[in-house]
């Protein structure tokens, strides 16, 4: 077996040193009833590279790759072009096959990029501090609510109807089993929701999303003021981090915690994961943050270096008193994010955002020309909602049969809500082309 | 040294190795600033077309002013991150015996298949008819995981081991709720040697964690456990093989006792690599167990993730799996997403979308490459290697427990007693020898613990050199005259020992332009 | 140094940096044996299915006995070559100012497109109807090369610069033959500063190489050239910009004079990067010129290749291009292969198949990424950077010639006179500073030459540090007390100075099992 | 432009230091007549990554990838599976972006793999020494003839009719312009050629191929004896290096120089290049070899290290007296070869060869069942010749139209020889499958 360096001769010699007759002896603590005599039944034997590759190519052949079809799907995961150098960098063994930097002297590479990542996240969000990443945006959002509960010692979170339904459900699930209450506002298709009135003295936090799930761009400055007046925190979720190249950052609106899904930068769609959660807050809440933190220090020779720090918040030190149970998170995805954002820089990141907005504007204009289709949004970044004259799900299926990946029917994410049946979410990024928009419009006209 | 080669032009050997260089670089070891110290306005590492001018629809919320991101060109970015990478140790460089982490070989084949068009580039919300191959792939992996563990169900969505613990313990809570026992069963038992994520998870779910002591053999003290079991106990969280690298020999009795009082058995599967293909946790009475795909199934650790932590579930817990899951209807696969009707009462949702697909792909490629035969062999080689290391060091270092270990060899620091050398010092000296240190000071139940997990991926020759180096260090430490030298280690790494106290006392968590650094004013 | 951090556990700084380690490793710098010292029989890094038993049809010529290849598993192979790679300097690590080599940034995009299915995996002898895109790709690159050089034709097949020289000089020989002058024109003129490949190529083709002297400005002495020109002269081989990094200012007069006596002008295009997009060699009277795609157009140098050396040809030489070439008929592309009928008399064939396709792909991606605007800017930046280095060092080092240079700055060793430090020592000291040395001792016309080609790929900040380091070294050398230290350099590299005399005196060109090493008996 | 780090501000500052008003001043040595006022006309401006990638995807779309079609083409370039770790390794910047190891202290990585490569080549070929690679097999063959001329001081090379026609033509071209004579034997379809009688006192060398272009496996021991008796050298060319896993090596037959095309190991098909030439000879001819050589030595601390050596043979030292004009050759392809061969090792390499032979045997058996098709070969390794009842070229085209890549019509390489019109060369490697053979056989039956 190509991955196993021990030869039979090695095994014999090693057993002799160990003083065992066979490897079975080393398993003698396993109860007899559970010792398998042979390999696990019903599973195939090992395969060569060529055979494995063929099997995966066959899986791939039974999917429609977004590279082969007009593509307008978003809803929390966005198709962007990732430069080849990003993918090269994350494949370098020194990054790929290293672990959490427990030994800082020989993991300065990882630590320094985490420090750069944390700084980038603070800049994008307009916040003071950020951690070294979360699993993704949705779990980050749930951690943010838990953190707000800790900070405020309250147990009621107010959830916007504009929050991504998956995020909402992750928070609800945490709420249910971790024992706090999550009050969910009704679905906010139009982007007009006002949550200020719902805040009360038990409210630990308000969770909103910008742009909202339906694409609306909102100013939460007033909401932030109301939260602070009531002693609650404002949590702003961003599922399309590219929007921060063009939009006023949550930090400037007064957000206390900002959580973003970072997938758009550096990380491919990957059928939903792994992605990377960005998590930023104010300095005063620093010690209540979940997750790893990288900090600057000096070495024995007085040279600048980096270490994991404030680990007294973490499970491996604090155990049942930890701020979170997180251990492994999203290091390599954070690297991809950091390398891509570094390539973009100020100028590139802003232009990328402009380009996304322009493409989506073009799509919106064109889609409004389809009879019966109505644009819901006044404002949007690179994604918006349209109301179709009939249920969106079968329309999307009909277009898929024509190999057009036309967007997400809102009903897929909110199956319990009949009022959203005709709504379709469409996104256009810098990867959208004329050659893709034309068939979409034509296809829609045919199908509707 | 100082062996002159008698060469024209006169090569002088030796020299003054500490003579500083002007740049601070030392040949291939290159000092590297932060990107923020390298940027210049207007410079970029991407070229994007000029965006067409459109009337913006941003609701008046256009960002004003600079973000503050540095501008670097592509060559600079490639050089910067290449040079940073060269400051890391990694599995690709040698023995990385970090106990409890299973730092095994990460095949490049897995990276390749994960990037295939039609796999790596799929959107999670594409119409299901357009992702049949992807759903089958997940289902195929699920089948392997269930069969290898002998368990009837698996929840695929958790993002890592700790997330899997959350999933499993929520399922237990949900099962208790269904039985009306959630309010009464508030205790979770866990050995003191448990990984920090276990108590952290239980506590987050509102359980009280009660420690159970170990016996002299490093295993759960069965009598003490039985004494602790009662109608208030929701579950036991037990790592097996445990964090001392030992198989819980009374595991069947333990699970029986746990079940007898109506509690559940959560098994932390971080150490599954020791037994995969040889022992099915389902045969041991386990109710649920997370599997760190980034350990046993080799998805890369990536400098701290991403991982994946699918949770296998017993029949009793299967109805309490979270959304989503994959269902095969005839020839078609579907994802049951939120709102799908099911028999039991679902737990809810742990994560957006369908889980860590990129890790599923890699893990399945690893599994298919090994096959059932190769997985079993890998487990055996991992266990044999650990025992070989243990046997080869036991006369100079001090094994924490008697008898054979599983996939990792645990030592305590008694061999360092009165030497002035600590576990930390010993670990740092290993760095100079070209090795990543073992896990230090974990598990907590052993003084100055050193937990060595060689994995199955190291050649015997490499283990032999590693052993010889550790023997040399141990002997040097015991010589009683080397404490200073150990304290000075590491000497050859990109940085020498770092001041962690300073880092924690005055946290600097981000770069700021040095001129306008201000403390947050609030 | 020795700055105590006042930390519990006591970090000791400084230490004895020369204290040897047991393994010989120094943290991340790991000693690495040869694969032959790592192998074991029966071990392998690939899994192949059991071959079906067949009656062999090998004409009784089955190999008997062992080949002697070592057996390594995949993890070992990955670790071995990763560790070896870490003993290299590279463009991705920093300034690599190797003059005459144009060590510019190698974009990863080019690697990606070269590996696309349908490009990287095509067989050269697939039916032409199945490779239309590939033929168009080559033709597209050919179009760029012709347009950028202002030449009407290009031969794509040469595998590197030297091979391109062979191609071009053969075309000249063929043209002479067509005119009946091959027997009479046996002289090729070349400046003494020419790259070794120029005389080697000319001599291989049976020409006598006659040196032409340079004038005090580092250019061809026009009067001397004119004096050397006559009816015996077949061609001049001239590098422009020349190997001193200078543009041949009288190039138009030179080509006129060469043509007047009926000879041809071969231009060595190794230094095309200085002028690409700004000057078309066709406008200078060039008859043929090779283009090193691995220099000007950034296909990776790969540790010494592969390269590619297409040759652009004037109308006079176009009929003498070798097979194959690409022809567009309407919407279809075809390859004209051996036997295809043509007007002139083809040269023959220089290489199997159609040339270095992998390099064409990368070069075209580079060219399209830059565009005509970006190529011009790149040339300008390369020239500006070289002049900036020259201007910044001219007071401490000694430029070989007056006036602005093109893309590389040439220094001689007079600034080292009486210091005891040689060009070699100076170069080796740069290694410790984290830089690859410049080209040393070439061109031969300058004493102790140091040829610095920064290329356009380095940021000004990086050039500034490089300049500062060179200034510091120059000043240190001139201090008169540092010769020993220079001779001891490099001190921090994976190996210190190597004994090249020993290597040449007793050549060991392969590993042999140490026991049965025997001298070849014949 | 993403690849250019200088900003306009940098350029201004640098010009000031240089003392020039504009960059134009630096080009003042360029004759006015040749200075372009603007960028070169008629060529497009720069493009982003996304646009470039799309353009190349479009090129690719107009080709038939061997991964998408039954594939049986060989004739000097073979489709083998290359492990993913090989491709990873050659993309590492430390290898990819380094150059010829002129500074051995910081290029030990390159030097050591070259030393390993040289050793591997000697083992495979059964020779004593090898160089650090040539451009490819065909140019290596021509260099071998030149070397034989130098060694023997003779000027007549005898070329087998079983040599790959492209190789033959490269030798003929060199012969013509470098002034020696290449006597080419008539095309040897049946593999029965005997060249012994043609050797005379002017013969510098005999060049044969094994397996021959038509696939025949031959023993050249007698020929070697005859060569040596006449003072000539025997040059054996191998275009399918995998065959050396199964066949008696040329060194054991008495070859003086062995040249192989190494593409099969580690290097993809790549539409014909870059490939890697292996070049091996006897120790006594070492100083007459072309190309780079890597040798072992020690450093100032007495540690083993490697350097380029015997460079007094080379152009950069010897100029017009050099053994060859080669400078840059095939370093990275040699690395790919070495890494792949190291992965294979003794056991894997031999098994790979067995597998190839078995697949080709299977194909031969099946193709003989097609009416009218006649197997020419008694012996072969993984490639053989069949005689069709009609011209092969249109048959191959007809199969290509059915997306079957069926082999090479010999007439494509020997257009001047009408006797080969009906011959088809077919190869089968470890990548051949039942799913590929069946359509070939069915297609052939249809088309013939
Ligand atoms: C015993 C044990 N349990 C749980 C975990 C947590 O797993 P993860 O890091 O994947 O969240 C670890 C990982 O380090 C572990 O070693
Ligand atoms: C001036 C000059 N001419 C010719 C060559 C030969 O080119 P190549 O190495 O591509 O064969 C070189 C390369 O080093 C060179 O610098």
């Amino acid at each position: 077996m190509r991955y196993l360096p021990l030869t039979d001769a090695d095994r014999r010699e090693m057993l002799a040193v160990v003083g065992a007759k066979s490897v079975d002896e080393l398993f003698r603590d396993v109860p007899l009833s559970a010792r398998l005599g042979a390999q696990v039944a019903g599973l195939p034997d090992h395969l060569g590279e060529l055979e494995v590759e063929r099997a995966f190519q066959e899986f791939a052949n039974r999917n429609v790759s977004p590279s082969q079809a007009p593509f307008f799907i978003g809803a929390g995961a966005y198709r962007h072009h990732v430069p080849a150098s990003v993918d090269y960098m994350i494949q370098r063994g020194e990054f790929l096959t290293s672990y959490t930097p427990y030994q800082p002297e020989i993991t300065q590479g990882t630590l320094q990029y985490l420090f750069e990542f944390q700084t980038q996240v603070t800049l994008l969000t307009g916040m003071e501090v950020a951690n070294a990443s979360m699993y993704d945006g949705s779990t980050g959002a749930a951690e943010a609510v838990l953190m707000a509960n800790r900070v405020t010692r309250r147990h009621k979170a107010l959830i916007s109807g504009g929050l991504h339904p998956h995020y909402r459900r992750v928070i609800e699930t945490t709420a249910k089993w971790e024992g706090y209450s999550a009050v969910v506002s009704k679905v906010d298709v139009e982007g007009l929701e006002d949550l200020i009135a719902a805040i009360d003295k038990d409210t630990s936090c308000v969770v909103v999303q910008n742009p909202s799930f339906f694409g609306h761009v909102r100013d939460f400055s007033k909401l932030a003021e109301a939260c602070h007046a009531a002693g609650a925190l404002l949590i702003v979720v961003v599922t399309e981090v590219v929007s921060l190249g063009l939009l006023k950052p949550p930090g400037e609106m007064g957000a206390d915690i900002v959580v973003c899904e970072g997938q758009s930068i550096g990380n491919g769609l990957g059928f939903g994961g792994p992605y990377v959660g960005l998590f930023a807050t104010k300095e005063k809440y620093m010690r209540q943050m979940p997750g790893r933190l990288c900090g600057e220090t000096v070495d024995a020779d007085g040279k600048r270096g980096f270490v994991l720090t404030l680990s007294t918040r973490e499970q491996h030190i604090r155990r049942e008193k930890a701020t979170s149970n997180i251990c492994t998170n999203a290091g390599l995805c954070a690297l991809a994010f950091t390398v891509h954002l570094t390539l973009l820089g100020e100028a590139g990141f802003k232009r990328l955002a402009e380009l996304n907005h322009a493409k989506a504007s073009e799509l919106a204009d064109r889609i409004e020309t389809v009879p019966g289709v109505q644009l819901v949004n006044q404002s949007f970044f690179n994604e918006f909602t349209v109301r179709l004259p009939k249920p969106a799900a079968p329309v999307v299926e009909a277009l898929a049969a024509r190999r057009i990946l036309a967007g997400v029917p809102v009903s897929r994410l909110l199956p319990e809500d009949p009022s959203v049946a005709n709504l379709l979410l469409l996104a256009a990024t810098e990867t959208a082309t004329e050659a893709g928009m034309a068939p979409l419009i034509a296809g829609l006209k045919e199908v509707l | 040294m100082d062996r002159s080669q008698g060469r024209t032009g006169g090569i002088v050997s030796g020299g003054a190795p500490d003579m500083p260089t002007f740049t601070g670089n030392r040949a291939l070891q290159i000092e590297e600033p932060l990107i923020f110290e390298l940027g210049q306005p207007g410079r970029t590492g991407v070229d994007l077309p000029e965006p067409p001018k459109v009337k913006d629809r941003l609701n008046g919320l256009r960002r004003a002013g600079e973000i503050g991101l540095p501008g670097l060109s592509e060559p600079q970015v490639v050089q910067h991150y290449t040079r940073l990478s060269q400051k890391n140790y990694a599995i690709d460089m040698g023995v990385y015996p970090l106990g409890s982490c299973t730092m095994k070989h990460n095949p490049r084949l897995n990276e390749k298949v994960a990037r295939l068009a039609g796999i790596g580039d799929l959107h999670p919300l594409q119409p299901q008819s357009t992702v049949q191959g992807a759903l089958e792939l997940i289902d195929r992996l699920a089948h392997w995981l269930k069969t290898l563990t002998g368990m009837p169900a698996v929840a695929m969505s958790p993002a890592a081991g700790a997330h899997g613990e959350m999933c499993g313990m929520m399922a237990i809570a949900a099962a208790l709720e269904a039985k009306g026992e959630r309010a009464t069963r508030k205790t979770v038992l866990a050995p003191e040697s448990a990984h920090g994520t276990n108590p952290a998870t239980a506590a987050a779910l509102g359980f009280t964690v009660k420690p159970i002591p170990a016996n002299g053999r490093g295993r759960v003290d069965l009598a003490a456990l039985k004494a602790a079991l009662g109608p208030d106990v929701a579950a036991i969280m037990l790592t097996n093989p445990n964090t001392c690298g030992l198989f819980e020999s009374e595991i069947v009795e333990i699970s029986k006792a746990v079940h007898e009082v109506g509690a559940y058995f959560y098994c932390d599967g971080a150490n599954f690599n020791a037994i995969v293909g040889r022992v099915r946790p389902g045969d041991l009475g386990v109710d649920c167990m997370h599997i760190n795909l980034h350990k046993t199934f080799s998805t890369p650790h990536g400098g701290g993730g991403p991982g994946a932590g699918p949770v296998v579930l017993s029949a009793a817990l299967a109805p309490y799996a979270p959304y989503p899951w994959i269902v095969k209807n005839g020839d078609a696969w579907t994802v049951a997403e939120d709102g799908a009707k099911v028999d039991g009462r679902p737990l809810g949702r742990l994560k957006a979308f369908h889980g860590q697909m990129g890790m599923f792909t890699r893990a399945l490629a690893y599994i298919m490459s090994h096959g059932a035969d190769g997985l079993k062999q890998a487990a055996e080689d991992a266990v044999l290697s650990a025992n070989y290391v243990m046997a080869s060091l036991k006369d100079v270092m001090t094994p924490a427990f008697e008898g054979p270990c599983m996939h990792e060899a645990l030592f305590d620091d008694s061999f360092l007693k009165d030497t002035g050398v600590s576990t930390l010092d010993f670990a740092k000296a290993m760095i100079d020898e070209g090795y990543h240190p073992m896990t230090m000071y974990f598990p907590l139940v052993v003084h100055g613990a050193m937990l060595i997990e060689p994995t199955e991926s190291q050649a015997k020759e490499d283990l032999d050199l590693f052993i010889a180096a550790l023997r040399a260090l141990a002997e040097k430490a015991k010589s009683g005259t080397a404490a200073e030298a150990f304290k000075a280690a590491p000497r050859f790494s990109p940085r020498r020992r770092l001041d962690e106290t300073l880092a924690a006392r005055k946290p600097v968590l981000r770069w700021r332009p040095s001129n306008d650094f201000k403390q947050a004013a609030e």
Side-chain angles (χ1 to χ4, degrees), chain B residues 51-269:
Chain B
K53 285 281 160 281
V54 296
K55 184 180 65 63
D56 85 33
R57 307 196 218 186
L58 303 172
N59 193 18
L61 291 166
R62 189 174 267 272
R63 186 192 267 269
E66 295 291 291
I67 302 169
L69 296 172
L72 286 80
S73 62
E74 183 179 296
Q76 293 178 285
V77 176
V78 170
Q79 289 186 348
H80 175 73
Y81 290 104
T82 299
R83 292 190 291 232
L84 284 191
S85 77
Q86 293 171 334
K87 302 182 191 302
N88 268 9
Y89 195 88
I91 297 171
D92 280 0
M93 293 167 66
V95 183
Y96 198 136
L98 198 64
S100 210
C101 296
T102 313
M103 304 301 285
K104 60 168 65 177
H105 176 59
N106 297 157
R108 254 54 192 197
L109 169 65
N110 306 353
E111 296 305 309
K112 183 174 182 182
V113 298
R115 285 167 171 81
L116 288 176
I119 293 184
D121 61 352
L122 298 176
H123 192 288
L125 298 177
Q126 282 183 219
Q128 300 192 12
S129 59
T130 68
V131 292
Q132 288 294 300
L135 300 179
E136 186 187 348
L137 190 164
I138 300 176
D139 199 45
R140 179 85 59 90
L141 176 62
H143 176 73
W144 274 95
L145 297 181
K146 290 183 289 186
T147 311
L148 287 169
T149 55
M151 304 281 278
V154 62
M156 296 298 288
S157 67
H163 206 216
E165 292 176 34
M166 197 57 91
C167 175
M169 292 305 290
M170 279 181 181
I172 288 172
L176 291 174
E177 186 172 77
K179 291 198 274 183
E181 296 181 0
R182 176 123 161 86
T184 51
R185 293 190 181 265
K186 299 297 282 178
T187 304
V188 165
L189 304 177
E192 283 168 345
S193 62
H195 192 261
T197 50
N198 295 184
T201 304
L205 293 170
F207 294 111
T208 307
V209 182
K210 211 156 113 186
I212 35 173
N215 61 24
R217 294 177 53 250
R219 274 83 171 179
V220 166
D221 183 325
L222 186 60
L225 169 69
K226 283 187 175 157
L229 283 170
D232 62 317
V233 174
I236 183 172
M237 293 186 86
L238 201 65
T239 310
N240 189 35
N242 70 24
T243 59
C244 301
L246 303 170
F247 198 92
E248 289 288 349
S249 44
E250 294 174 309
I251 187 84
V252 173
E253 291 79 359
I254 293 172
S255 61
K256 231 173 110 201
V258 167
H259 290 151
E260 265 164 15
V261 299
Y264 293 93
F265 177 6
Y266 184 95
C267 182
D268 180 329

Side-chain angles (χ1 to χ4, degrees), chain A residues 122-204:
Chain A
T122 61
L123 293 171
L124 293 190
T125 55
M127 303 299 287
E128 290 165 353
V129 289
N131 77 8
S133 83
M134 310 298 288
Y135 301 136
D136 71 351
S138 67
T139 55
E143 290 278 358
V145 173
L146 292 168
M147 173 171 150
N149 292 350
R150 281 194 300 277
V151 167
T152 61
R153 296 168 197 265
R154 298 178 183 178
H155 300 280
K156 194 171 84 181
L158 209 57
I159 315 293
S160 159
L163 184 65
H164 191 294
H166 280 180
Y167 286 52
R168 189 246 289 166
R169 284 186 224 273
V170 175
I171 293 173
E172 285 176 320
T173 303
T174 324
K176 165 148 195 196
W177 303 113
E178 304 200 16
Y180 64 90
S181 94
V183 180
V184 180
S185 201
K186 81 172 214 304
V187 167
D188 180 34
V189 174
E190 311 291 331
L192 299 171
E193 171 189 81
D194 186 348
L195 295 173
I196 292 179
I199 302 172
D200 64 26
K201 64 171 189 7
D202 297 327
T203 308
S204 66

Side-chain angles (χ1 to χ4, degrees), chain A residues 99-100 102 135 292 315 325-329, chain B residues 99-101 159-165 193-198 239 241-243 268-271 290-295 307-309 442:
Chain A
Y99 202 13
T100 308
Y102 296 118
Y135 301 136
R292 308 242 183 245
Q315 48 76 24
N325 79 337
I326 287 191
C327 178
T328 300
N329 47 21
Chain B
S100 210
C101 296
H163 206 216
E165 292 176 34
S193 62
H195 192 261
T197 50
N198 295 184
T239 310
N242 70 24
T243 59
D268 180 329
N271 294 340
H290 74 257
I291 300 169
N292 310 64
L293 296 186
H294 47 297
K295 297 181 179 179
F442 174 84

